[in-house]
Amino acid sequence: MALVAKTTLEVLLDELADDGRIVHVEHLPARPERTAPLDRPLPDAVRDCIPFENFWSHQAQAIDLLRDDTSVAIATGTASGKSLCYQVPIAEAIADPIRPATAMLLYPTKALAQDQLRAWGELAFPGVVAATYDGDTDKDHRSWVRNNANVILTNPEMLHAGVLPHHGRWDTFLRRLRYVVIDELHVLRGIFGTNLAHLLRRLRRLCAHYGSDPTFVFTSATIGRPDRLASELCGLPVTAVTDDGSPQGPRLFALLDPPVVDAASGARTSGNAETASMVSRLVQGGHRTIAFCRSRKGTELVAGHVRDMLPHGLDEAVRSYRGGYLVDERREIEAELFDGRIQAVVATTALELGVDIGGLDACVLNGFPGTIASMWQQAGRAGRQRQESVAVLVAGEDQLDRYLMAHPGEVFERAPEPAVINPRNPFILEPHLACAAYELPLSHDDHRYWGDELDDGVRALVRADRLKTRRRRLRGGGDEPIAVWAARGIPGRDIGLRNGSSAVYRISLEDGTLIGTVDEGRAFPLVHPGAVYLHRGQSFRVLDLD
């Protein structure tokens, strides 16, 4: 009988299993590709820019639907080429000689937008002028983007504050808007997803005002019932594309339970320590690794522990990455990741979302991330080049982690959860109706966007003296009631799309040197007077919180 030698990743897991840390290893076999032709051929100028002959089956299905103006939700595995599903129809629409189109792409993080901008540059489709438009874009460049770009890569906050209230500056872009892409569908749950649902309704309303009716594209790696959530977000019928035809390399997925150090109390070694140990062993074995932590502080601590465990030289190739870093710091770390100069990165969910970090062999999850969907999304950061890869879930201290260690089947057999939003929530609906009234007067025609909740929302805003009712003459004779913005300033500046507040606190030295930023929801527990603030391996004591 022929014997097959174990790989270095299997040997490492065997060593950890011998001392009881590894409680289960799931072997996920390699999967071959499945291809399919398009219903009709692409223009030669677009086809020549695609560096392969055949599309995978789910790509062909999505492209055909989008070319027929059908909104889609693409939920396939990581590294399954979801971006190409919308890049191809967008490039074809921009090249239309009769009615050249524009496209808007919404990403939940700036890092993801920057990554996708690089992808557009590599494809070099003719006539495509792609640019990011976010809080890192300087004022002079913003004007250039508005006047020249036909593919805008932005985020929900910039759409809310920078585009919709100033839609007159974007009239040409909105008049030609053919496709709207919303990436990472699985994170659009709860408050964030509900806010985005109203943002997309406001966008559709302005597009109708300028004469366009865009098709929507939603993408996600793992989520239950993606078409239902996508339809709730945009208010339109959406078709799901979920039959993944992409190839996949062999994967190992291990569950690591930290050992008990005190039998009397049941105390175990910390998840931070086990995660750092796992990452350091992977790096010393020559495996490029990413680790995910559930908090910013945990990210800094684990990265510091990893550096302490590694020999000199290797320790310099470990980085932490999280929200709150300055723009230049983020760009520097991202460039090192994409160039392969980093052996390990310890991150929050800021790097969970689809950033194409090539060549990662391993992923370590410091605690169950809360949903099966997020777990597979994080684990999918490794093995994107179809090489053998490993993911390790290190159990945390809460009861859900303890349950999963005792019932491994729940990790691998349970389907990804569907996300839930509530566009009828009046505390989110009414501020967005105020924003919509500022953009264009509200009328009965807007029931197609907000349904029966429109009347109650307008009534509440009128009572609060934020809207006033008027009569508007109609072209064919007669008039209709409308509601107009009646308060001062631009509404919506205090709307926090993700956590209810839009305030951002600056973290600086006594001489004014900026160290980082933190949103209001995290400021009081993280940077209160006397707190120790960790930033890229340095410790700072907070003197004052204003």
Side-chain angles (χ1 to χ4, degrees), residues 131-405:
T132 55
Y133 190 83
D134 54 33
D136 295 345
T137 309
D138 61 62
K139 292 183 178 179
D140 293 337
H141 191 59
R142 289 183 186 184
S143 177
W144 183 92
V145 171
R146 281 196 303 269
N147 296 327
N148 295 277
N150 48 29
V151 175
I152 301 291
L153 297 85
T154 186
N155 53 54
E157 283 79 6
M158 204 63 180
L159 175 63
H160 168 65
V163 177
L164 299 183
H166 312 289
H167 58 88
R169 303 176 186 175
W170 294 87
D171 56 348
T172 301
F173 185 89
L174 294 174
R175 186 176 297 113
R176 296 176 177 176
L177 189 59
R178 189 86 58 86
Y179 292 106
V180 177
V181 178
I182 299 93
D183 201 12
E184 304 300 345
L185 178 65
H186 76 282
V187 305
L188 303 177
R189 61 183 74 231
I191 289 178
F192 189 25
T194 302
N195 274 301
L196 186 66
H198 293 295
L199 271 179
L200 296 183
R201 283 159 174 77
R202 288 164 53 195
L203 175 61
R204 287 178 52 210
R205 182 171 177 261
L206 291 175
C207 286
H209 173 71
Y210 288 107
S212 63
D213 183 18
T215 299
F216 286 82
V217 189
F218 298 85
T219 65
S220 179
T222 47
I223 190 171
R225 301 188 66 180
D227 50 335
R228 186 187 71 174
L229 175 61
S231 182
E232 290 178 339
L233 285 167
C234 68
L236 296 169
V238 176
T239 299
V241 176
T242 57
D243 187 12
D244 192 344
S246 65
Q248 182 176 300
R251 297 184 178 188
L252 302 172
F253 201 128
L255 305 184
L256 189 153
D257 200 9
V260 175
V261 294
D262 186 342
S265 65
R268 298 174 180 270
T269 58
S270 73
N272 286 352
E274 291 295 325
T275 299
S277 175
M278 190 74 209
V279 172
S280 66
R281 295 184 70 164
L282 286 164
V283 170
Q284 291 183 76
H287 305 292
R288 294 190 69 213
T289 304
I290 186 170
F292 287 102
C293 295
R294 298 177 66 179
S295 69
R296 296 183 177 190
K297 184 176 181 180
T299 296
E300 297 285 357
L301 289 173
V302 169
H305 291 333
V306 173
R307 283 190 284 265
D308 292 341
M309 294 178 181
L310 290 174
H312 180 67
L314 273 180
D315 61 338
E316 298 176 358
V318 177
R319 296 287 185 274
S320 56
Y321 186 100
R322 60 172 177 79
Y325 284 177
L326 302 179
V327 176
D328 291 343
E329 292 176 320
R330 291 200 306 269
R331 296 292 176 269
E332 175 191 348
I333 298 169
E334 290 161 15
E336 291 175 332
L337 278 171
F338 302 134
D339 294 343
R341 287 175 280 164
I342 292 178
Q343 285 298 110
V345 59
V346 183
T348 59
T349 54
L351 280 182
E352 171 188 329
L353 306 174
V355 177
D356 187 8
I357 307 168
L360 289 179
D361 306 305
C363 173
V364 183
L365 286 67
N366 186 5
F368 181 65
T371 66
I372 295 293
S374 290
M375 183 195 76
W376 287 112
Q377 181 76 359
Q378 292 180 4
R381 296 304 96 206
R384 291 175 66 92
Q385 296 178 344
R386 301 195 285 280
Q387 77 275 31
E388 183 192 38
S389 62
V390 65
V392 180
L393 172 59
V394 178
E397 297 178 355
D398 62 43
Q399 292 304 306
L400 180 55
D401 289 53
R402 303 256 44 83
Y403 176 82
L404 294 177
M405 291 298 113

